[in-house]
Amino acid sequence: RISGHIIDPESGYPVQNELISVTLFAVSALVADAYDHAVFAMGLQKGAAFVDGHPFLKAIFVYRDAQGNVLTKYTGKFEQDEVR
């Protein structure tokens, strides 16, 4: 999957990974916006690990698995009631 508006800084081409969307929650919208494109470019596994390593961030990842199913992953910091 290619995201045309997020550029991979290593290749200079649009990011190609399994992610469809990343929504970041932080102490402010400015902080969330500062990290969202970088986390998207990291992909699901690295992006989720990055968010889990930063206590001021939470994220919701929407992605396609190898079979093409659309799935959602929440970082471990979300309480179940927060995502309803």
Side-chain angles (χ1 to χ4, degrees), residues 6-73:
I6 300 175
I7 303 301
D8 181 337
E10 292 180 1
S11 70
Y13 290 97
V15 168
Q16 295 186 46
N17 63 32
E18 70 280 282
L19 292 176
I20 297 169
S21 172
V22 175
T23 302
L24 280 181
F25 297 82
V27 296
S28 71
L30 183 64
V31 171
D33 190 50
Y35 283 98
D36 64 355
H37 285 74
V39 170
F40 190 102
M42 290 177 196
L44 180 62
Q45 297 305 320
K46 288 181 182 177
F50 179 86
V51 171
D52 282 338
H54 292 80
F56 57 90
L57 295 175
K58 297 187 225 182
I60 300 172
F61 296 86
V62 179
Y63 66 99
R64 288 193 191 278
D65 67 10
Q67 293 74 40
N69 301 307
V70 176
L71 302 170
T72 305
K73 176 180 177 65

